[in-house]
Amino acid sequence: MRIISSLALAAVLSSASAFQPSALRVPITTAVRSSSSSPITQHHHVVSTAKKSTPAAPLPLRMSSSNEDAESTTTVSGTGTATMANEIFNLVKSIVGAGVLSLPAGIAAFGNAPSAVLPAVALICIIGGFSAYGFSLIGRVCSYTGGQSYRGAWSESVGDETSWIPAVTCTFKTCFAVLSYSMILADTIRALAGSFGIQTTRTLALLGVTGTTLLPLCLLKNLSSLAPFSLVGIAGMFYTTIAMALRYLGGSYKVGTAAVVKGSKTAAVPAGKYIADVATNYQPSFGNLGASAALSPNVFILICMLSTAYMAHFNAPKFFIELKDNTIKRYNTVVGTSFGISIFLFALIGALGFLTFGSASSGLILNNYAATDGLMSLSRFAVAISIIFSFPLVFVGARDGWLDLLNVPVEKRTDSVLTKTTLAILTSVTLIATQLKELAFIMSFAGATLGNALIYVYPALMFRAAVKKMGDKASKGLKREVPFAMFSALLGVGMGAIGTKMAFGLL
């Protein structure tokens, strides 16, 4: 349950830029579902598994090439109206979710001394850089092939006959997102109840919020009214970052030490204001496993958790298509800036949480803070509201993904079918969430398997196939980039294999 990071975004994106020519709502909108319509699109939404998505009319391509060594900029000349500022805001909003609150536990998975933060921040930056590169590749493949969705990009590059592979992966990844949300709500609602003197279990807390709030929201026929609440999520993350910084710098959770007199006087360190209200297993604990502990295999737990935390790649095609004047250069600027901001927030939250609680860092760091801490209770409230109103948007993606996989035609998705499917999936997810308490396991396992495939492996395979289909028209720069893209894919496979094994050690 710990997490790691490093500063390679500039290096990785600049390496991608070296291959470029000089030359997730408009923001991504949430589609409104009627009683018989298909999936919505949101930050954790699956790519529809219906047959290959074909544009209503072929989109014209425009090409520009500065010289024979530069990459030909083939760009879908769409009708996008989103400004770069809009796209950056919405992409950051898509990336920075509640999953970032598990990062301190990722660091604690391999280290317990403050210096462990150094390699952790380095890894957060490196993995963020490669994640940004994968996001960039997906948009570029769309520009070369005309694909307008993740599955569409795969169909146009690798082939339609295997396009079910990314569709299945997206569906399962979305299911893991729903499960993570339920687990976070179970802990958060229980803690919030404790703040008001109401003692309850996480199981009762989850059953209560699911039955009274989540189920009715998931049965709504029109989800557009929930979209504004997504703003609470990013605002909540910024607030949580500030609150964590104040608590760390103010020493509110320091463990007190008695004065020691051995020839000389040593002043006692007073205990923090809230330390007495924190359960023993959540109180700060530090040891001597510092930066060198990053050489331990346990570091892959953090790495794979990051693959889940940075996940927004389902919507890369939509970000590219909806960008006004969507040249690859402008698109890469959006990607680089958005991931750069996200990396900063990930590194800050991960470091602050770990430096405050060390090896005791919970898979949901908010669990470490006292129920009597008003500042952090407000953070819990913001996170809870954000997840409650984001939950249906993610859930409908998972539900419709399963209906697609089961080949249920859209016209047969009656209210009765949707209600029964919602009840079946939500009941299953809730029951699992009541039994699983280790959010770090879900984050690392989902990242090691599904996340690595969607972020590193599939984009590289699509890019290689797209360049191969160009034949002699592919520039030297594109051909030289293929080995680097495939290195990224192999890196994802290696991290996934080791990370999966290490994730099970958390149970």
Side-chain angles (χ1 to χ4, degrees):
M1 323 175 307
R2 286 79 175 166
I3 302 182
I4 313 177
S5 319
S6 183
L7 299 166
L9 173 66
V12 175
L13 274 188
S14 58
S15 70
S17 299
F19 299 112
Q20 302 297 333
S22 59
L24 226 232
R25 333 174 191 191
V26 197
I28 288 188
T29 54
T30 303
V32 178
R33 178 183 63 79
S34 67
S35 61
S36 61
S37 70
S38 189
I40 60 156
T41 302
Q42 229 278 346
H43 48 270
H44 279 298
H45 179 52
V46 297
V47 178
S48 172
T49 57
K51 247 335 204 184
K52 163 178 156 180
S53 64
T54 308
L59 290 170
L61 300 177
R62 65 172 180 272
M63 313 255 311
S64 77
S65 177
S66 53
N67 57 59
E68 79 174 335
D69 289 330
E71 174 185 334
S72 296
T73 311
T74 311
T75 309
V76 177
S77 182
T79 57
T81 58
T83 64
M84 291 178 68
N86 282 341
E87 292 255 307
I88 290 169
F89 175 80
N90 285 294
L91 184 48
V92 171
K93 188 172 65 176
S94 295
I95 298 170
V96 182
V100 69
L101 299 175
S102 68
L103 295 186
I107 303 175
F110 71 90
N112 56 24
S115 62
V117 162
L118 298 177
V121 170
L123 282 174
I124 288 173
C125 297
I126 291 173
I127 300 303
F130 275 102
S131 296
Y133 178 66
F135 198 97
S136 171
L137 281 184
I138 297 169
R140 291 165 60 198
V141 168
C142 289
S143 79
Y144 305 146
T145 65
Q148 297 187 65
S149 68
Y150 201 114
R151 182 171 186 172
W154 180 285
S155 296
E156 297 293 344
S157 55
V158 179
D160 187 48
E161 63 280 358
T162 56
S163 63
W164 60 270
I165 296 176
V168 169
T169 306
C170 286
T171 297
F172 277 93
K173 188 69 178 69
T174 309
C175 289
F176 272 103
V178 173
L179 177 59
S180 297
Y181 277 15
S182 289
M183 293 172 66
I184 292 172
L185 280 175
D187 289 325
T188 303
I189 298 298
R190 179 187 60 78
L192 282 174
S195 299
F196 293 97
I198 303 173
Q199 298 304 314
T200 185
T201 64
R202 66 187 303 276
T203 296
L204 289 177
L206 180 58
L207 291 176
V209 73
T210 300
T212 62
T213 308
L214 298 182
L215 178 58
L217 289 176
C218 290
L219 290 174
L220 286 176
K221 291 181 173 61
N222 188 327
L223 299 176
S224 61
S225 60
L226 303 181
F229 287 96
S230 63
L231 295 174
V232 177
I234 189 64
M237 286 302 105
F238 276 104
Y239 170 81
T240 299
T241 304
I242 295 172
M244 291 174 67
L246 290 174
R247 289 299 181 242
Y248 169 67
L249 296 174
S252 300
Y253 288 87
K254 280 186 176 294
V255 176
T257 59
V260 177
V261 180
K262 263 192 180 178
S264 63
K265 293 183 179 179
T266 302
V269 176
K273 179 179 179 181
Y274 296 104
I275 193 66
D277 297 324
V278 178
T280 304
N281 60 315
Y282 284 147
Q283 291 187 5
S285 177
F286 294 93
N288 55 10
L289 294 177
S292 61
L295 299 176
S296 162
N298 286 337
V299 75
F300 284 93
I301 294 173
L302 171 61
I303 291 173
C304 292
M305 290 170 75
L306 287 168
S307 294
T308 294
Y310 283 118
M311 174 57 65
H313 295 59
F314 317 133
N315 276 331
K318 205 162 181 64
F319 275 98
F320 174 75
I321 292 169
E322 295 187 354
L323 175 64
K324 183 179 180 181
D325 188 19
N326 57 343
T327 63
I328 291 177
K329 182 178 180 180
R330 282 171 57 82
Y331 174 72
N332 275 346
T333 299
V334 169
V335 175
T337 304
S338 302
F339 273 85
I341 295 171
S342 301
I343 287 171
F344 173 75
L345 288 174
F346 280 21
L348 197 55
I349 291 176
L352 288 171
F354 177 77
L355 290 174
T356 303
F357 297 102
S359 62
S361 298
S362 169
L364 176 61
I365 195 60
L366 294 181
N367 288 341
N368 287 90
Y369 293 91
T372 54
D373 187 343
L375 198 64
M376 300 311 299
S377 291
L378 184 56
S379 178
R380 290 188 182 97
F381 179 76
V383 169
I385 292 297
S386 171
I387 292 179
I388 285 172
F389 288 100
S390 296
F391 190 97
L393 302 171
V394 182
F395 179 85
V396 171
R399 183 192 65 196
D400 290 343
W402 275 108
L403 291 174
D404 286 335
L405 292 178
L406 295 173
N407 295 318
V408 178
V410 172
E411 60 273 13
K412 291 187 178 181
R413 298 180 189 183
T414 62
D415 286 347
S416 176
V417 169
L418 292 176
T419 297
K420 291 176 181 177
T421 307
T422 296
L423 287 171
I425 297 176
L426 190 57
T427 298
S428 300
V429 168
T430 302
L431 289 176
I432 295 173
T434 60
Q435 299 303 308
L436 282 178
K437 298 180 181 180
E438 195 47 73
L439 180 63
F441 166 73
I442 297 298
M443 291 285 292
S444 57
F445 178 75
T449 53
L450 307 171
N452 280 340
L454 291 167
I455 293 175
Y456 309 115
V457 182
Y458 296 167
L461 294 177
M462 289 190 287
F463 178 72
R464 183 182 66 174
V467 172
K468 183 177 180 180
K469 283 190 174 183
M470 291 180 191
D472 294 336
K473 294 182 180 179
S475 68
K476 293 180 180 179
L478 279 175
K479 293 177 180 178
R480 286 196 300 265
E481 187 178 359
V482 169
F484 180 79
M486 293 311 297
F487 167 74
S488 175
L490 291 175
L491 191 66
V493 172
M495 292 189 302
I498 300 174
T500 300
K501 180 179 182 299
M502 302 308 301
F504 280 100
L506 296 174
L507 293 177

